[in-house]
Short mmCIF file of all heavy atoms in Angstrom, two decimals:
data_model
loop_
_atom_site.label_atom_id
_atom_site.label_comp_id
_atom_site.label_asym_id
_atom_site.label_seq_id
_atom_site.Cartn_x
_atom_site.Cartn_y
_atom_site.Cartn_z
N VAL A 9 0.84 -1.21 0.00
CA VAL A 9 0.00 0.01 0.00
C VAL A 9 0.87 1.25 0.00
O VAL A 9 0.63 2.19 -0.77
CB VAL A 9 -0.97 -0.01 1.20
CG1 VAL A 9 -1.62 1.35 1.40
CG2 VAL A 9 -2.04 -1.07 1.02
N VAL A 10 1.89 1.27 0.85
CA VAL A 10 2.79 2.43 0.92
C VAL A 10 3.48 2.65 -0.43
O VAL A 10 3.56 3.77 -0.93
CB VAL A 10 3.82 2.27 2.06
CG1 VAL A 10 4.95 3.27 1.95
CG2 VAL A 10 3.12 2.41 3.41
N VAL A 11 3.98 1.58 -1.02
CA VAL A 11 4.69 1.71 -2.31
C VAL A 11 3.75 2.12 -3.44
O VAL A 11 4.07 3.03 -4.19
CB VAL A 11 5.43 0.39 -2.64
CG1 VAL A 11 5.93 0.40 -4.07
CG2 VAL A 11 6.60 0.16 -1.68
N LEU A 12 2.60 1.48 -3.54
CA LEU A 12 1.65 1.82 -4.63
C LEU A 12 1.10 3.24 -4.47
O LEU A 12 1.09 4.00 -5.44
CB LEU A 12 0.52 0.81 -4.69
CG LEU A 12 0.90 -0.59 -5.16
CD1 LEU A 12 -0.32 -1.50 -5.17
CD2 LEU A 12 1.52 -0.54 -6.55
N LEU A 13 0.65 3.57 -3.28
CA LEU A 13 0.11 4.90 -3.04
C LEU A 13 1.23 5.95 -3.21
O LEU A 13 1.03 7.00 -3.84
CB LEU A 13 -0.52 5.01 -1.67
CG LEU A 13 -1.17 6.35 -1.33
CD1 LEU A 13 -2.27 6.67 -2.32
CD2 LEU A 13 -1.73 6.33 0.09
N GLY A 14 2.39 5.65 -2.67
CA GLY A 14 3.51 6.57 -2.80
C GLY A 14 3.94 6.80 -4.24
O GLY A 14 4.19 7.93 -4.66
N THR A 15 4.01 5.73 -5.01
CA THR A 15 4.38 5.86 -6.42
C THR A 15 3.34 6.63 -7.20
O THR A 15 3.67 7.54 -7.98
CB THR A 15 4.58 4.46 -7.05
OG1 THR A 15 5.59 3.77 -6.29
CG2 THR A 15 5.01 4.56 -8.48
N ALA A 16 2.07 6.30 -6.97
CA ALA A 16 0.99 7.01 -7.67
C ALA A 16 0.98 8.49 -7.30
O ALA A 16 0.67 9.35 -8.12
CB ALA A 16 -0.36 6.38 -7.35
N ALA A 17 1.33 8.79 -6.06
CA ALA A 17 1.36 10.18 -5.62
C ALA A 17 2.59 10.93 -6.13
O ALA A 17 2.53 12.11 -6.45
CB ALA A 17 1.35 10.24 -4.09
N PHE A 18 3.69 10.23 -6.25
CA PHE A 18 4.95 10.86 -6.65
C PHE A 18 5.03 11.15 -8.14
O PHE A 18 5.58 12.17 -8.56
CB PHE A 18 6.11 9.93 -6.22
CG PHE A 18 7.45 10.44 -6.63
CD1 PHE A 18 8.04 11.51 -5.96
CD2 PHE A 18 8.14 9.88 -7.69
CE1 PHE A 18 9.28 11.99 -6.34
CE2 PHE A 18 9.37 10.34 -8.07
CZ PHE A 18 9.94 11.41 -7.40
N VAL A 19 4.51 10.25 -8.95
CA VAL A 19 4.68 10.33 -10.41
C VAL A 19 4.18 11.64 -11.04
O VAL A 19 4.90 12.22 -11.85
CB VAL A 19 4.06 9.08 -11.09
CG1 VAL A 19 3.97 9.25 -12.58
CG2 VAL A 19 4.90 7.85 -10.75
N PRO A 20 2.99 12.13 -10.71
CA PRO A 20 2.54 13.37 -11.39
C PRO A 20 3.50 14.56 -11.21
O PRO A 20 3.79 15.25 -12.18
CB PRO A 20 1.18 13.67 -10.75
CG PRO A 20 0.70 12.37 -10.24
CD PRO A 20 1.93 11.62 -9.83
N GLY A 21 3.96 14.78 -10.01
CA GLY A 21 4.90 15.87 -9.78
C GLY A 21 6.25 15.62 -10.43
O GLY A 21 6.87 16.51 -11.00
N TYR A 22 6.72 14.36 -10.36
CA TYR A 22 8.01 14.03 -10.95
C TYR A 22 7.98 14.19 -12.46
O TYR A 22 8.92 14.70 -13.05
CB TYR A 22 8.44 12.60 -10.60
CG TYR A 22 9.72 12.22 -11.28
CD1 TYR A 22 10.92 12.73 -10.81
CD2 TYR A 22 9.73 11.45 -12.43
CE1 TYR A 22 12.11 12.43 -11.46
CE2 TYR A 22 10.90 11.16 -13.08
CZ TYR A 22 12.09 11.64 -12.61
OH TYR A 22 13.26 11.38 -13.25
N ARG A 23 6.89 13.80 -13.08
CA ARG A 23 6.79 13.93 -14.56
C ARG A 23 6.90 15.39 -14.98
O ARG A 23 7.39 15.68 -16.06
CB ARG A 23 5.51 13.32 -15.05
CG ARG A 23 5.51 11.82 -14.93
CD ARG A 23 4.21 11.20 -15.36
NE ARG A 23 4.09 11.32 -16.80
CZ ARG A 23 2.99 11.04 -17.47
NH1 ARG A 23 1.93 10.63 -16.83
NH2 ARG A 23 2.95 11.15 -18.78
N LEU A 24 6.47 16.29 -14.12
CA LEU A 24 6.53 17.70 -14.45
C LEU A 24 7.91 18.28 -14.14
O LEU A 24 8.46 19.03 -14.94
CB LEU A 24 5.46 18.46 -13.65
CG LEU A 24 5.33 19.94 -13.92
CD1 LEU A 24 4.90 20.18 -15.37
CD2 LEU A 24 4.33 20.55 -12.98
N HIS A 25 8.50 17.91 -13.02
CA HIS A 25 9.72 18.58 -12.55
C HIS A 25 11.02 17.80 -12.83
O HIS A 25 12.08 18.41 -12.86
CB HIS A 25 9.62 18.86 -11.06
CG HIS A 25 8.39 19.63 -10.73
ND1 HIS A 25 8.18 20.91 -11.16
CD2 HIS A 25 7.28 19.29 -10.04
CE1 HIS A 25 6.99 21.33 -10.74
NE2 HIS A 25 6.41 20.36 -10.06
N ARG A 26 10.95 16.51 -12.97
CA ARG A 26 12.10 15.66 -13.37
C ARG A 26 13.34 15.84 -12.49
O ARG A 26 14.46 15.94 -13.00
CB ARG A 26 12.47 15.92 -14.82
CG ARG A 26 11.36 15.68 -15.79
CD ARG A 26 11.25 14.25 -16.14
NE ARG A 26 10.21 14.12 -17.16
CZ ARG A 26 9.67 12.98 -17.47
NH1 ARG A 26 10.06 11.90 -16.87
NH2 ARG A 26 8.74 12.92 -18.37
N ARG A 27 13.18 15.88 -11.18
CA ARG A 27 14.33 15.97 -10.27
C ARG A 27 14.90 14.58 -10.04
O ARG A 27 14.30 13.75 -9.36
CB ARG A 27 13.93 16.59 -8.95
CG ARG A 27 13.26 17.96 -9.07
CD ARG A 27 14.30 19.04 -9.38
NE ARG A 27 13.66 20.32 -9.55
CZ ARG A 27 13.82 21.34 -8.74
NH1 ARG A 27 14.61 21.26 -7.70
NH2 ARG A 27 13.20 22.47 -8.98
N LYS A 28 16.11 14.33 -10.58
CA LYS A 28 16.72 13.00 -10.48
C LYS A 28 17.07 12.64 -9.04
O LYS A 28 16.95 11.48 -8.65
CB LYS A 28 17.99 12.94 -11.35
CG LYS A 28 17.74 13.20 -12.81
CD LYS A 28 16.95 12.10 -13.45
CE LYS A 28 16.87 12.36 -14.95
NZ LYS A 28 15.77 11.72 -15.58
N THR A 29 17.49 13.59 -8.24
CA THR A 29 17.85 13.30 -6.85
C THR A 29 16.59 12.87 -6.07
O THR A 29 16.66 12.02 -5.19
CB THR A 29 18.50 14.52 -6.15
OG1 THR A 29 17.64 15.66 -6.30
CG2 THR A 29 19.85 14.82 -6.75
N LEU A 30 15.47 13.44 -6.41
CA LEU A 30 14.21 13.08 -5.78
C LEU A 30 13.83 11.65 -6.16
O LEU A 30 13.36 10.87 -5.32
CB LEU A 30 13.12 14.06 -6.20
CG LEU A 30 11.91 14.17 -5.31
CD1 LEU A 30 12.29 14.45 -3.87
CD2 LEU A 30 11.03 15.29 -5.83
N LEU A 31 14.04 11.30 -7.42
CA LEU A 31 13.78 9.94 -7.87
C LEU A 31 14.67 8.95 -7.13
O LEU A 31 14.22 7.88 -6.73
CB LEU A 31 14.00 9.84 -9.38
CG LEU A 31 13.72 8.49 -10.03
CD1 LEU A 31 12.26 8.10 -9.83
CD2 LEU A 31 14.07 8.52 -11.50
N ALA A 32 15.93 9.31 -6.92
CA ALA A 32 16.85 8.45 -6.18
C ALA A 32 16.39 8.27 -4.73
O ALA A 32 16.45 7.17 -4.17
CB ALA A 32 18.25 9.02 -6.22
N LEU A 33 15.89 9.34 -4.11
CA LEU A 33 15.39 9.28 -2.74
C LEU A 33 14.18 8.37 -2.64
O LEU A 33 14.09 7.53 -1.72
CB LEU A 33 15.06 10.69 -2.25
CG LEU A 33 14.72 10.87 -0.79
CD1 LEU A 33 15.87 10.47 0.11
CD2 LEU A 33 14.33 12.33 -0.52
N VAL A 34 13.24 8.49 -3.58
CA VAL A 34 12.06 7.62 -3.59
C VAL A 34 12.45 6.17 -3.81
O VAL A 34 11.96 5.27 -3.13
CB VAL A 34 11.05 8.10 -4.68
CG1 VAL A 34 9.99 7.04 -4.92
CG2 VAL A 34 10.41 9.39 -4.26
N THR A 35 13.34 5.93 -4.75
CA THR A 35 13.78 4.57 -5.03
C THR A 35 14.45 3.93 -3.81
O THR A 35 14.18 2.78 -3.48
CB THR A 35 14.75 4.56 -6.24
OG1 THR A 35 14.07 5.15 -7.36
CG2 THR A 35 15.19 3.17 -6.59
N ALA A 36 15.31 4.68 -3.16
CA ALA A 36 15.97 4.17 -1.95
C ALA A 36 14.95 3.90 -0.83
O ALA A 36 15.01 2.86 -0.17
CB ALA A 36 17.03 5.16 -1.46
N GLY A 37 14.02 4.81 -0.64
CA GLY A 37 13.00 4.63 0.40
C GLY A 37 12.13 3.41 0.14
O GLY A 37 11.88 2.61 1.03
N ILE A 38 11.69 3.26 -1.10
CA ILE A 38 10.86 2.10 -1.47
C ILE A 38 11.65 0.82 -1.28
O ILE A 38 11.13 -0.17 -0.75
CB ILE A 38 10.35 2.24 -2.93
CG1 ILE A 38 9.24 3.29 -3.00
CG2 ILE A 38 9.86 0.90 -3.46
CD1 ILE A 38 8.77 3.62 -4.39
N SER A 39 12.90 0.84 -1.69
CA SER A 39 13.74 -0.35 -1.56
C SER A 39 13.87 -0.76 -0.09
O SER A 39 13.75 -1.94 0.24
CB SER A 39 15.13 -0.11 -2.16
OG SER A 39 15.03 0.16 -3.53
#
């Protein structure tokens, strides 16, 4: 639930702003 909701919540903003460090932070947290 945390991963699916988090990913669904993160993607819209990321698609607009494309911050690679933020993507790395999300990936590490999910992992």
Side-chain angles (χ1 to χ4, degrees):
V9 167
V10 166
V11 168
L12 290 178
L13 183 59
T15 302
F18 177 74
V19 168
Y22 176 76
R23 289 177 72 189
L24 183 63
H25 306 295
R26 303 276 184 195
R27 305 284 177 114
K28 300 291 186 203
T29 54
L30 201 53
L31 182 61
L33 188 62
V34 167
T35 302
I38 286 173
S39 298

